[in-house]
Amino acid sequence: MSVEIHFDGVSKYFGDFCAVENLTLDITRGEMVAILGKTGCGKSTMFNMVSGLQEPSSGSVRVQGRDPFREFDWFRGKIAIVFQNDRLLPWRTAVQNVELGLEMLDAPPAIRREKAMGWLAQLGLKGHENDYPHALSGGMRQRVSIARAFATDAPILLCDEPFSALDEITANRLRDEFAALVAENGKTAVFITHSIGEALKIGRRIVVLRRPARIALDEMPPANMSRDEADAIRDRIQAVLSE
Ligand SMILES: Nc1ncnc2c1ncn2[C@@H]1O[C@H](COP(=O)(O)OP(=O)(O)O)[C@@H](O)[C@H]1O
Ligand SMILES: [Mg+2]
């Protein structure tokens, strides 16, 4: 089992304020981990350290054995990110937005277009390739940003509450499709959420954080779990989060 993402005694301070405290966590290649915690508990700060946007105050973060902050350029094409806000460029069509990540990897134009069209189709957006973001619903825009993330072929996917701005029905559908695509494509995925239901749906493993970010619970729900098993895990998580 090879470790893809490694936190070793990581703390992160903003001035005197501790957002992440002595966090140690290994995420194995191909794992789909939900990181669950209340708002303000340090989830996005963890995310920013994995994606190389922030440096730990102490301890170390390694992704594929490298330092994402100091070796930022090496990670081009290795990590794809989906945010809560779709972050599409309004002056580009859906397909042009999906192509963006591939442009940054210098993929030839014909290949870019073919991959982008393919991923839009996989995400149910056939016929909307040439629509601009303003013409798409929130759910469709988030589909475009998921297509953009998959199109780059990055082995690691980081998602920071990607469905939390969507209505529950739309979010539910997209969640299932997303989980299936992650599994089919063998990605290592870190999925941040503040929703217990979402964590249970997405996570093959659920890491629950207590503020400041440190691990309060680390669960591996069995595949095809029964309702009773799901309820028991939900109760354990709820107990931790309400402390
Ligand atoms: N750049 C920053 N400067 C100061 N405080 C910050 C900064 N980023 C985050 N924080 C604080 O750290 C805590 C954790 O934030 P964050 O990681 O965004 O939490 P979450 O994503 O779990 O909601 C919050 O209390 C937040 O106000
Ligand atoms: Mg956050």
Side-chain angles (χ1 to χ4, degrees):
M1 284 206 304
S2 93
V3 173
E4 196 84 330
I5 299 172
H6 176 63
F7 282 83
D8 186 12
V10 172
S11 297
K12 178 69 181 177
Y13 286 86
F14 297 108
D16 290 338
F17 180 82
C18 181
V20 175
E21 187 184 0
N22 194 21
L23 181 78
T24 295
L25 173 67
D26 278 341
I27 294 172
T28 302
R29 183 167 304 163
E31 257 189 332
M32 179 136 158
V33 184
I35 309 266
L36 173 66
K38 285 192 242 181
T39 300
C41 83
K43 302 184 298 298
S44 293
T45 304
M46 278 178 73
F47 184 93
N48 290 338
M49 290 191 286
V50 174
S51 56
L53 298 174
Q54 289 181 345
E55 193 175 26
S57 307
S58 60
S60 67
V61 176
R62 292 289 178 272
V63 180
Q64 296 193 343
R66 293 180 182 245
D67 182 332
F69 187 81
R70 290 176 184 270
E71 300 174 79
F72 194 81
D73 287 339
W74 185 82
F75 284 94
R76 228 161 57 116
K78 306 239 172 21
I79 297 180
I81 296 180
V82 186
F83 291 103
Q84 178 176 345
N85 173 303
D86 53 70
R87 301 200 185 189
L88 301 180
L89 298 176
W91 59 86
R92 285 185 160 228
T93 61
V95 68
Q96 288 169 342
N97 266 288
V98 177
E99 283 182 272
L100 190 65
L102 294 160
E103 284 169 34
M104 294 198 274
L105 295 173
D106 301 322
I111 299 216
R112 279 192 326 237
R113 183 52 56 110
E114 189 190 315
K115 282 199 174 170
M117 296 295 272
W119 277 104
L120 283 171
Q122 284 233 43
L123 280 143
L125 289 176
K126 240 189 168 105
H128 293 283
E129 295 90 346
N130 297 315
D131 289 356
Y132 285 90
H134 70 83
L136 301 172
S137 69
M140 289 159 92
R141 286 200 298 271
Q142 201 55 306
R143 285 175 180 273
V144 177
S145 63
I146 291 170
R148 181 178 58 189
F150 276 100
T152 61
D153 269 338
I156 299 172
L157 262 180
L158 303 179
C159 309
D160 194 356
E161 312 213 15
F163 308 135
S164 62
L166 303 177
D167 68 80
E168 199 42 37
I169 294 169
T170 305
N172 255 322
R173 273 244 295 280
L174 204 42
R175 213 173 266 144
D176 289 342
E177 289 179 43
F178 175 82
L181 286 174
V182 168
E184 266 168 42
N185 290 278
K187 305 284 184 194
T188 304
V190 179
F191 191 101
I192 288 179
T193 178
H194 63 258
S195 152
I196 299 180
E198 181 163 89
L200 279 166
K201 228 167 175 193
I202 294 258
R204 299 290 147 270
R205 176 178 173 198
I206 302 174
V207 173
V208 186
L209 300 177
R210 218 187 318 234
R211 189 182 152 169
R214 64 208 149 80
I215 295 170
L217 202 64
D218 192 344
E219 295 264 359
M220 294 232 191
N224 305 315
M225 67 186 148
S226 68
R227 174 160 290 203
D228 283 352
E229 285 170 322
D231 284 346
I233 292 178
R234 186 185 293 270
D235 288 348
R236 284 201 289 279
I237 293 173
Q238 221 131 30
V240 165
L241 290 181
S242 59
E243 272 168 26

